[in-house]
Amino acid sequence: EWSAGFIFIRMPNRRRFRRINTPPSMEGFKPFGVPMRDLESVNLLYEEYEALRLADYEDLTQEEAAKKMNISRPTFTRLYEKARKSIAKAFVEGKAIIIRGGTFTTDDYWYRCRECHETMVTEEPVKTCKNCDSDNIIQLDGKPVPGTQKKKIP
């Protein structure tokens, strides 16, 4: 038996970038009537938001949603369960939900205007808001833009 004397270690697969179709139209949610400065928050990653959107809003099976996100079905299940637990925690404990961050990829460029709060999805990089023409925009997708300084979400 050739395995005698050897220890086999299963190396984890490298993390795949999770494909996301569109960004959320908002930065998060907060309990009604409580100022944001008085709230603790729960983070919801972009890929967790996408898992909820595909399964609960688009009504896809976990297998279909996993294919759309370019991940395995077990990985989708973990993302989906983590998202649901985060939202439940925010509801039960009266915390804000902040949607940001994660390990994802998208074909488009995503921006949010800090003046009018417009969320923009474009095929090419932009420097101003299409709604109010402000240059106070932040890039949400994490892609490098040649020749510009990227404003990053804190």
Side-chain angles (χ1 to χ4, degrees):
E1 183 172 317
W2 79 276
S3 64
F6 290 96
I7 298 174
F8 292 99
I9 300 173
R10 179 159 159 50
M11 298 295 289
N13 293 334
R14 75 178 163 83
R15 178 176 269 205
R16 287 185 190 169
F17 284 91
R18 289 86 188 255
R19 176 157 302 283
I20 298 179
N21 189 32
T22 57
S25 60
M26 77 305 288
E27 295 179 54
F29 290 92
K30 72 176 199 68
F32 181 76
V34 181
M36 192 63 187
R37 68 181 172 274
D38 296 338
L39 290 172
E40 292 181 27
S41 64
V42 170
N43 283 332
L44 188 68
L45 301 176
Y46 282 116
E47 58 261 35
E48 294 167 352
Y49 165 85
E50 183 74 350
L52 284 171
R53 187 185 74 77
L54 292 172
D56 294 337
Y57 184 76
E58 297 291 333
D59 206 26
L60 298 181
T61 66
Q62 289 193 8
E63 190 69 39
E64 293 166 331
K67 283 180 185 171
K68 281 196 176 255
M69 291 182 70
N70 194 32
I71 57 177
S72 69
R73 205 259 329 129
T75 297
F76 179 86
T77 300
R78 285 191 298 275
L79 283 174
Y80 180 69
E81 288 175 356
K82 187 172 179 295
R84 291 185 62 169
K85 285 188 182 298
S86 294
I87 289 173
K89 179 177 184 159
F91 280 5
V92 171
E93 297 178 14
K95 296 182 178 189
I97 301 168
I98 306 297
I99 306 169
R100 66 173 164 210
T103 307
F104 66 96
T105 186
T106 179
D107 293 332
D108 301 310
Y109 293 88
W110 300 351
Y111 301 92
R112 181 165 291 122
C113 178
R114 286 296 193 192
E115 301 297 324
C116 71
H117 306 288
E118 176 79 12
T119 300
M120 299 174 287
V121 177
T122 64
E123 291 181 6
E124 299 293 327
V126 298
K127 293 183 180 179
T128 60
C129 176
K130 68 179 181 182
N131 188 48
C132 72
D133 214 27
S134 169
D135 64 356
N136 189 8
I137 61 174
I138 57 169
Q139 190 171 349
L140 305 174
D141 57 59
K143 292 180 183 177
V145 179
T148 62
Q149 282 196 349
K150 184 172 68 170
K151 295 180 183 177
K152 194 161 176 150
I153 299 174

